[in-house]
Amino acid sequence: DWRIPYCTASPILYNLLQIPHLHDHQDGQWEHAYQIHKPESWVEIKRRFFNDFSTMVNDVDLVLCGHPLYWCSLFETFVSPLMHKAMIAVYDQPPFFLVPSEAEESFAETLRSWALPDIGNVVIVGFAPFFARQFEWLLGSRIPHSRPIALIVKDAWQPLISDSVLLATSIDHIAIGLILRFAELNAHMLFAPEG
């Protein structure tokens, strides 16, 4: 299947998210995605995701998710205070992309809660200035934006200096402050690669 290298290398996740059905547009573009994401189905998918991936996520300090942003909700249980995980949600599509209309208000509340300054272990980052401004206009909260650079990476990030994070200084001081606050608030859960 041509979608496997682009969607996930995990056959469990591939089947859980029903990728072939999701990409079937014969009934209308993304129509099947909206069916899969209906609240009654999504609750079960999130439960199964937690059960299937909790062992793997136990070894992770920080989750990077997005595209669609709705899929970040798969990690909600992992970023609860009891789990001690952090998440950066990349906002690169309109916030309700692939969110069924009956789930939009609930997901909007989730996004607003993730954007609160006192939520230290979750940050939403706009993929570009447009998305940061769109988020502010639609949801009433400011979020930082990034200037992405894409590389094909086939290994885990292993910094030369274990207690450092690479930041782009071209983003504004508010965004840098948010990222530094995120690191400070999560220092107790972020560990050096060597353990």
Side-chain angles (χ1 to χ4, degrees):
D1 189 326
W2 64 269
R3 292 169 284 239
I4 291 173
Y6 298 102
C7 297
T8 178
S10 165
I12 296 169
L13 185 60
Y14 185 85
N15 291 325
L16 181 64
L17 294 176
Q18 304 170 47
I19 299 298
H21 190 59
L22 187 93
H23 285 260
D24 178 357
H25 302 299
Q26 68 184 4
D27 295 331
Q29 189 173 28
W30 298 116
E31 195 56 39
H32 292 263
Y34 288 107
Q35 291 171 15
I36 293 165
H37 294 156
K38 284 194 178 296
E40 56 275 8
S41 307
W42 198 242
V43 167
E44 177 61 16
I45 288 171
K46 286 168 55 174
R47 186 194 63 73
R48 288 178 47 209
F49 181 84
F50 181 79
N51 289 340
D52 291 344
F53 291 95
S54 59
T55 302
M56 181 185 74
V57 175
N58 280 336
D59 297 331
V60 172
D61 298 319
L62 176 68
V63 173
L64 178 65
C65 63
H67 195 76
L69 193 58
Y70 193 53
W71 286 0
C72 293
S73 66
L74 291 169
F75 295 96
E76 279 180 299
T77 305
F78 294 109
V79 296
S80 70
L82 297 174
M83 297 293 287
H84 304 291
K85 305 291 178 191
M87 179 173 75
I88 298 175
V90 178
Y91 175 38
D92 68 340
Q93 294 285 329
F96 303 117
F97 176 59
L98 302 184
V99 178
S101 57
E102 63 268 30
E104 284 182 4
E105 191 52 43
S106 171
F107 188 57
E109 288 305 313
T110 296
L111 292 174
R112 285 185 191 103
S113 74
W114 289 348
L116 289 173
D118 56 336
I119 302 293
N121 66 325
V122 177
V123 172
I124 302 174
V125 178
F127 192 69
F130 170 81
F131 293 108
R133 295 294 300 186
Q134 182 186 55
F135 190 93
E136 181 181 0
W137 186 76
L138 290 172
L139 298 162
S141 297
R142 295 185 77 182
I143 60 171
H145 69 271
S146 66
R147 295 201 176 142
I149 298 172
L151 299 172
I152 295 175
V153 179
K154 296 184 184 216
D155 206 348
W157 178 60
Q158 296 288 322
L160 296 176
I161 304 170
S162 64
D163 63 348
S164 67
V165 174
L166 179 64
L167 288 179
T169 58
S170 61
I171 58 178
D172 63 32
H173 71 282
I174 295 170
I176 291 174
L178 181 65
I179 293 169
L180 292 175
R181 192 182 85 237
F182 176 84
E184 180 183 319
L185 290 171
N186 292 288
H188 64 283
M189 342 187 251
L190 301 175
F191 302 102
E194 58 276 351

